[in-house]
Amino acid sequence: MLKAFREHIELDFPELMTDHFLIACSGGLDSVVLCVLCKELGLKFSMAHCNFGLRGHASDGDEDFVRSLAKSLNSQIFVTRFDTLGYVNQHKVSMQMACRELRYAWFRKILGEQGISILLTAHHANDNLETFLINLSRGSGIEGLMGIPAKTTYLRRPLLPFTREQLASYAQDNAIRWREDSSNADTKYLRNKIRIDLVPILKELHPTFSENFKNTLRYLEQTNTIANAYLEELKKELFVPQGNGYQIPIIKLKKLHPLSTYLHGLFYEYGFRELDNLESILDGLSGKFIRSNTHILVKNREFLLLSPVQTHNDKHSYDIREDAVVVKHPVSLKFSEVSQRYDNSRDIIYVQKNTLKYPLTLRKWKKGDYFYPIGLNGKKKLAKFFKDEKLDILSKENIWLLCSQDQIVWVVGMRADNRFKVVDNAQKILKIEIT
């Protein structure tokens, strides 16, 4: 197996031959064999172990074992302990999801602190099969049936071509010890039930099932490559760049058949997985929208507008001091005192400086906001102002407000507030412009 592993690394993971990387090691068969194989090849790596504290002395025993293994391999070791039950109660997630979220957040933290770019996990061919069957049972497109990816941005899974039986045989032949997790035998977990109850039946029905499954994955990957190439060409035709997103003509989408299949293929990478929602937005009212974790899709008359969700670094407001001349974030503004005012425009406004109270604030609009637009009598709610200006939801999310305490001075790029207009040329006049 060592020879096959070496050839696999040299061919498919050449970066591991030169780069220092991190291995997630639980102390079980898979991760222990991975560490030993990497040591045998003379690769440079550190190890990381999570103690979730769920099995009392057994969890502590796993930690002690991995520390000893790291010492025998002359490897740097990182160890952490989690309050897993506390995390479950706080975030209302399953135990398995809690463990996953905790460990990968910690792994990424180590990578950042240590300047390491690659994390290895010990997923193998049996894990791939189990993932395939889980996704199949839940209903999945081709993406979910292709199994676990061998590479992502920072993850590498070099054991995917090898079965657990091969790993166990290598460990036994080389007197390698590992720890058994008793929870792996608990069939209340879907993955365990598939491994213990279902897979043996499949292998009994067809002795070459494991090899046939590998071939199936390969065929699916080839088919997916062809489908993706076609979809990319289709996107070039349909997805018209607009700002930081795209404008997509609905009439052209509706000509695609089968429509649901095309919608899935075109929008899957943007996080839209619910086909009913995708189809319903095509015939919905203008302004209807749906969100994924990363993107927002809005119907705007005869088009769909696709744009990334704006996070703005999770900061909702920015203060501007009185002595500020240039502000570069979140919008580029220039402040200058002038002796004469001119007409306001969308990009430049003039205000009576002594009416301002510092620090000024740049913030997003919120429900209930109102201002006194220059050129109109009285106040107007921003929601109504945006509607009259025919702004779609994406445009509204990108609007910033320049405020003096709780009063809006300028809907940036649109309209100034009448309360701050220049009425006395003898007083200081402040020119504010978008740069």
Side-chain angles (χ1 to χ4, degrees), residues 100 158 198 218 256 264 291 402:
R100 177 181 174 79
L198 180 58
R218 186 168 67 252
L256 301 173
H264 176 79
R291 290 177 182 267
L402 179 66

Side-chain angles (χ1 to χ4, degrees), residues 50 52 54 82-89 91-105 107 123 127 130-131 134 138 181-196:
C50 303
F52 295 103
L54 297 174
F82 294 118
D83 176 14
T84 313
L85 292 176
Y87 187 91
V88 168
N89 292 330
H91 296 275
K92 309 302 180 186
V93 295
S94 68
M95 189 67 69
Q96 289 178 310
M97 182 59 70
C99 291
R100 177 181 174 79
E101 291 177 356
L102 286 168
R103 68 175 175 267
Y104 278 104
F107 292 151
H123 293 91
D127 294 317
E130 293 158 14
T131 299
I134 288 172
R138 292 172 175 169
D181 185 342
S182 59
S183 66
N184 288 335
D186 191 341
T187 55
K188 73 178 182 182
Y189 299 114
L190 178 59
R191 184 175 292 273
N192 291 351
K193 189 170 185 62
I194 287 174
R195 184 181 68 254
I196 295 169

